[in-house]
Amino acid sequence: ETGVTQSPTHLIKTRGQQVTLRCSSQSGHNTVSWYQQALGQGPQFIFQYYREEENGRGNFPPRFSGLQFPNYSSELNVNALELDDSALYLCASSSNQGRYTEAFFGQGTRLTVV
Amino acid sequence: KQEVTQIPAALSVPEGENLVLNCSFTDSAIYNLQWFRQDPGKGLTSLLLIQSSQREQTSGRLNASLDKSSGRSTLYIAASQPGDSATYLCAVMYYGGSQGNLIFGKGTKLSVKP
């Protein structure tokens, strides 16, 4: 059983650029959620994907968008990067078979916007 | 507003001590509660998941309890070791709203001194 993997591990971008982060969910999991964690804070929910559709969204602007693929892997895209987007981005996978199971997280992608 | 609070923000103990980390939440209509461990700059490692119908869960030296009526959960760590040093995060999933969304506290940073 493979765990949740994220790529890349670190990324430096310039303000105004666009970025794509990737996540491979744990084997057997059909739900992927993305979180943003600023330094010293708890993770904040961005959105969740289930069966390739967005299934819930937190308080983030539309320039944060995502995709889920048939193999349940997922991408997080952020357009028009701002300095405040600098954070650790975490992907979590879980299984939704009528009820939510334990969430397992990847190691995160550290995004720095300069 | 659904919020999760963790007290204390930081804790330093000598090796071998038993300790308790606290988590409180504002809304008792929770679906489940999960405790995580986070090492500096890393992702989250799931420690224990408590469903809303359960009162406690145990794994090795860890025991987590849940009291929905008072809006509290505790994580008890027995015979602490330097390897337990990390930030411990509590996360709650609520019914309704963006279901599947975990709401996190800011964490308790634990340091176990040899």
Side-chain angles (χ1 to χ4, degrees), chain A residues 13-45:
Chain A
K13 288 285 190 178
T14 302
R15 188 172 52 182
Q17 284 187 316
Q18 178 265 342
V19 68
T20 297
L21 310 181
R22 295 179 174 82
C23 171
S24 294
S25 60
Q26 184 160 312
S27 176
H29 285 181
N30 57 12
T31 301
V32 173
S33 303
W34 286 91
Y35 291 80
Q36 180 195 66
Q37 186 178 25
L39 206 59
Q41 302 294 315
Q44 298 289 317
F45 176 70

Side-chain angles (χ1 to χ4, degrees), chain B residues 15-97:
Chain B
E15 182 178 3
E17 193 162 296
N18 301 325
L19 59 99
V20 174
L21 306 181
N22 296 295
C23 172
S24 61
F25 43 93
T26 54
D27 187 338
S28 62
I30 71 169
Y31 187 90
N32 63 38
L33 183 146
Q34 202 164 347
W35 282 93
F36 294 90
R37 167 188 173 135
Q38 185 173 34
D39 292 293
K42 303 295 185 182
L44 308 184
T45 299
S46 178
L47 298 174
L48 290 165
L49 169 72
I50 309 178
Q51 300 289 353
S52 61
S53 58
Q54 298 174 318
R55 293 298 300 267
E56 66 178 334
Q57 282 285 348
T58 298
S59 176
R61 295 184 293 111
L62 305 179
N63 176 277
S65 68
L66 174 64
D67 183 344
K68 289 191 300 179
S69 61
S70 66
R72 292 183 181 180
S73 175
T74 60
L75 179 66
Y76 174 83
I77 302 177
S80 59
Q81 303 169 359
D84 295 330
S85 298
T87 296
Y88 290 80
L89 292 155
C90 166
V92 174
M93 183 184 295
Y94 287 101
Y95 285 100

